[in-house]
Each structure stands twice: as C-alpha cells, then as structure tokens.
Amino acid sequence: MEAKDVGTNLAEVETSEQLQRYGGALPNLLLTDYLEFRRFVDGQKRDTFRLAVRQADGRVEAVSPAEQARALNLLQNFLTRPRVPVATADDLARRLAALAHAIRDVLGRAFETGQASPLLRDWRDAFARTLLPELAPQAEAAREAAAVAAFADMFAQMLAYGLFSARVACGTVPFSRDTARRLIPRTNPFLRTFFEQISGAALDEEPFAGLVEDLIQTLAHADLARILEDFGRRGPGMTRWWTSTRRSCRPTTRSCAKCVACITRPNRSSSIWCKAWTGCCGIVSA
C-alpha cells in the first residue's frame, strides 16, 4: 500500500515514475490518501473507491452506506488476493530487482528531503568507513547527490542479495526477517550487523519497511527448488541469475561491479554467495 497525505492528487501520483515502478514490483498495490483508494493489479488500475469525501470547508463526510459496502468488499478482495507463485529465475530476478529499485528510490528521496532517519545516516557512515569513502556526506551539492545515489543503490542491493542468500540457505524453514538474520554467517560481521538492525523493530519506522516485507514475502513464496534446478547450484548458474537481477536494477556504483566480478569466480557454490559478494569489498576474507 502506498499512502499519501489527505487531499493529495492521486491522479498525479498515479502517473509518477515512483508508482510506475511500484506497479512493476508489486502485483497487488493500493494507492490511497485515506479517503480515496485506487487498486492496481499487475501494474494496471483495477478499481477506484472511496470511504469519505473532503468538503470545500475542510470537513470530511462519509460516503453513502452502499459506497461503504462496496469499499469494504474491494478492500477485502485486496487483502485476500492470493500471492502469485514465483517459479522461474527470470521472474524472481525481475521482481527482486524492481523492489530493490523502489527501495533505492525511497532512500534517495529521504536524504534529498532531509528526512533520513538516524538509522539510515548511521548506516551511510558505516558504509563509507567500511566500503567506499566517497559515500560520506559531501559539501558540494552535485557530489552529495552522487554519494546519496551510490549509497542508496548499494544499500538496496545488499538487502536484496542478502535476503536471497538467506532464503537459499533456509531450505524448507518458514522464511521471515528473523530467519534471514539468523542465517547470516558470523564470518560476515558487517552483513550480520546490518541484518540484525534491519530485522529489528527499528525497521518498522523506516519508509521502505513495507518494501522489505514485500521482498521477504516474494522470496518466501518463490519455488526455490525449481529455480535452483533451472540454473544449477554452482556459481556460474547463480551468476547468470544475479547478473540478470542487477541489470534490471541498473546499478551505478563501481563497488557493485567489483562485487559481481567476485561472484563470477568459477566454482563458487550458492552457500558462499554472501561471503564472496562482501569479501571483494574487504569486509571478510574471501
């Protein structure tokens, strides 16, 4: 669900790049200003309904009982729509890339508008110390914009890649934020700390929290057995999958290119993806 302030022009939001991107990532999406609701299925607008109308004097009046009943029915349809199973590597790559792209954009806007939380600012500092010094805050506006874009890109990719790595490792165990946190190996202290915070209550206050949950649910409902069978459990097959995902993300950071080069080393199994990816950045020994 994408919620805007009461009175926001949803027609303008509907045509924005942000919502177009969300529509590609989320097969079941609801856009609302708390009074009007617009539902999108597979990127196409399906229904529009209201719970109330804002009058010229600012008062909010409920719609008719018949309209309320219709709204309730459509909301129930939204909430109970079965998740679309993900059974091919290409489909999973597109979905994860679209969600990572959306998370990247949310992070970028948070910094651009001065609304980035202390948690995000702390992580930016940590990324700058550990990965790339140029991710640190910059005095010059253009360089600051580039640094924010690079950090947001790397943050989003780390989320998507780390969650996928954990999902592969968890097998038939129900997949959740907590499961992902516990499956990050202790040999990757930076990534483990990252997921300990991302899986905690602090994430619920972040504007991208819903997108992280969508990542987790997408992975939880993915038929990993079929996907891994399709590409093979050894490094080269996984490389093709992750390269496909990253191509959809259109990454901008040179460090991410180094990470992919690290992953593509021959004879690396899926069990060490995460270590290979972080190792090239000097976080752990590869």
Side-chain angles (χ1 to χ4, degrees):
M1 178 183 291
E2 178 67 9
K4 300 297 184 181
D5 292 338
V6 173
T8 298
N9 187 332
L10 297 186
E12 291 184 359
V13 177
E14 185 178 325
T15 60
S16 67
E17 182 182 356
Q18 176 195 16
L19 203 77
Q20 296 301 314
R21 194 164 292 147
Y22 284 8
L26 305 173
N28 190 31
L29 173 66
L30 199 63
L31 171 66
T32 181
D33 68 345
Y34 301 98
L35 305 181
E36 179 185 351
F37 296 78
R38 300 185 181 198
R39 184 189 178 196
F40 301 81
V41 177
D42 296 326
Q44 301 298 315
K45 185 160 66 174
R46 175 72 60 83
D47 304 294
T48 299
F49 56 95
R50 282 184 170 276
L51 290 176
V53 177
R54 191 176 189 179
Q55 303 299 325
D57 60 4
R59 293 182 298 109
V60 174
E61 293 186 358
V63 296
S64 68
E67 280 295 300
Q68 290 181 40
R70 176 175 178 270
L72 178 60
N73 181 60
L74 291 173
L75 282 171
Q76 288 175 334
N77 288 341
F78 167 75
L79 294 170
T80 58
R81 182 175 187 264
R83 283 192 170 270
V84 179
V86 181
T88 69
D90 284 345
D91 189 16
L92 182 60
R94 283 192 298 270
R95 290 177 184 272
L96 295 191
L99 287 166
H101 206 163
I103 291 171
R104 184 195 69 181
D105 291 349
V106 170
L107 292 178
R109 284 194 301 275
F111 278 95
E112 289 167 7
T113 59
Q115 296 178 331
S117 68
L119 178 66
L120 284 180
R121 294 184 185 279
D122 287 347
W123 270 110
R124 181 182 176 184
D125 291 341
F127 275 45
R129 288 194 307 271
T130 309
L131 304 178
L132 286 174
E134 53 263 44
L135 297 180
Q138 306 290 321
E140 199 270 321
R143 295 184 64 183
E144 170 65 4
V148 165
F151 166 69
D153 184 80
M154 187 178 293
F155 187 101
Q157 287 199 54
M158 182 175 286
L159 262 177
Y161 196 81
L163 287 172
F164 180 80
S165 175
R167 175 65 181 89
V168 172
C170 82
T172 58
V173 175
F175 191 60
S176 65
R177 269 196 271 168
D178 186 61
T179 303
R181 176 186 60 79
R182 289 187 284 106
L183 288 172
I184 300 299
R186 295 184 181 279
T187 52
N188 293 322
F190 184 86
L191 196 62
R192 188 174 178 86
T193 301
F194 178 78
F195 271 90
E196 282 177 352
Q197 293 199 17
I198 289 301
S199 64
L203 174 66
D204 297 331
E205 304 301 319
E206 296 295 335
F208 58 91
L211 292 168
V212 175
E213 188 59 32
D214 286 322
L215 273 174
I216 291 169
Q217 291 303 314
T218 297
L219 288 165
H221 289 83
D223 189 340
L224 260 293
R226 290 178 61 182
I227 291 170
L228 294 176
E229 182 181 359
D230 181 24
F231 278 89
R233 291 182 176 275
R234 303 299 294 181
M238 296 307 174
T239 296
R240 290 197 301 275
W241 178 83
W242 183 243
T243 300
S244 174
T245 302
R246 289 186 67 259
R247 188 180 299 117
S248 298
C249 282
R250 295 190 295 276
T252 58
T253 58
R254 64 173 175 82
S255 66
C256 292
K258 287 179 61 182
C259 291
V260 169
C262 185
I263 298 165
T264 57
R265 292 174 186 170
N267 300 320
R268 285 193 182 267
S269 69
S270 60
S271 65
I272 59 170
W273 280 7
C274 189
K275 184 175 181 180
W277 183 57
T278 54
C280 68
C281 294
I283 300 170
V284 296
S285 172

